[in-house]
Amino acid sequence: MKHFVFILALLSICACDDLKVKKTSTEAILNEELQSFTWNEVDEYPTFSSCETSATQQYRKQCFEQTLAATILKRLEAERIIVNRDVLDTLLIQFKISDTGDLSLLNFKVDSLTQAEIPNIKFLVTSSLDSLPTIEPAIKRGQKVNSLFTLPIIIKVN
């Protein structure tokens, strides 16, 4: 019986070490959370109201990009562009959508031949962005966030 009490006391002392609560600071929790997700991806892509009915994220992203490209191309097609040589080029347009849904043009890459044939190409593209419908910003972990996109636009003028 004496041994039983001794073993029971020894087990209770050892068990108390397992029950110690490890204190974790809020900074440690925050750092762990920040490490656990990727910053380069969003949970929901920016979208137009017409694209919100799409079933999946991939379709909504595709709808957003197609709507944006169609708006730019519609504006370019409405202009009477006269060129000396045929133009076949891909414009790379980089833009930012703010957390409030404002779209701004960051970078515009165009071939020098296209720039020479259509000197006002940047103005035409920029002015087409003014006629876009309202944009819902990207969402990351329940918060509206800024997002950057590069959109290729194929220009063909004969």
Side-chain angles (χ1 to χ4, degrees):
M1 180 76 173
K2 202 176 193 185
H3 294 293
F4 178 72
V5 173
F6 178 73
I7 292 175
L8 186 61
L10 185 62
L11 286 176
S12 1
I13 292 172
C14 291
C16 289
D17 287 340
D18 293 336
L19 295 177
K20 287 184 181 175
V21 178
K22 188 172 153 183
K23 291 186 179 181
T24 306
S25 70
T26 56
E27 288 179 18
I29 293 171
L30 177 63
N31 286 335
E32 186 177 313
E33 277 294 309
L34 291 176
Q35 298 294 330
S36 69
F37 63 92
T38 57
W39 286 99
N40 294 332
E41 296 176 7
V42 292
D43 298 335
E44 293 182 32
Y45 291 100
T47 187
F48 297 110
S49 58
S50 62
C51 298
E52 289 179 352
T53 58
S54 300
T56 65
Q57 279 290 39
Q58 187 61 30
Y59 287 125
R60 277 185 251 180
K61 179 184 178 190
Q62 188 176 10
C63 176
F64 175 77
E65 291 174 349
Q66 288 174 347
T67 304
L68 187 57
T71 302
I72 294 170
L73 289 173
K74 184 178 176 183
R75 172 74 165 110
L76 292 176
E77 288 171 354
E79 289 295 315
R80 183 170 168 89
I81 300 172
I82 300 171
V83 294
N84 295 327
R85 292 186 266 179
D86 291 348
V87 175
L88 178 60
D89 190 17
T90 302
L91 306 176
L92 291 176
I93 307 168
Q94 183 183 37
F95 55 92
K96 173 185 172 183
I97 300 173
S98 72
D99 57 353
T100 59
D102 297 325
L103 183 123
S104 56
L105 186 68
L106 296 180
N107 197 0
F108 186 84
K109 291 185 181 177
V110 62
D111 186 71
S112 59
L113 174 64
T114 305
Q115 184 69 46
E117 291 293 324
I118 313 170
N120 63 341
I121 186 89
K122 186 173 181 179
F123 171 76
L124 294 173
V125 170
T126 304
S127 63
S128 70
L129 298 177
D130 294 336
S131 63
L132 287 172
T134 305
I135 300 172
E136 290 296 321
I139 296 177
K140 179 72 171 177
R141 302 197 91 177
Q143 298 293 315
K144 294 179 179 181
V145 294
N146 296 333
S147 56
L148 300 175
F149 285 91
T150 301
L151 184 69
I153 302 286
I154 298 172
I155 302 293
K156 183 177 181 179
V157 181
N158 301 5

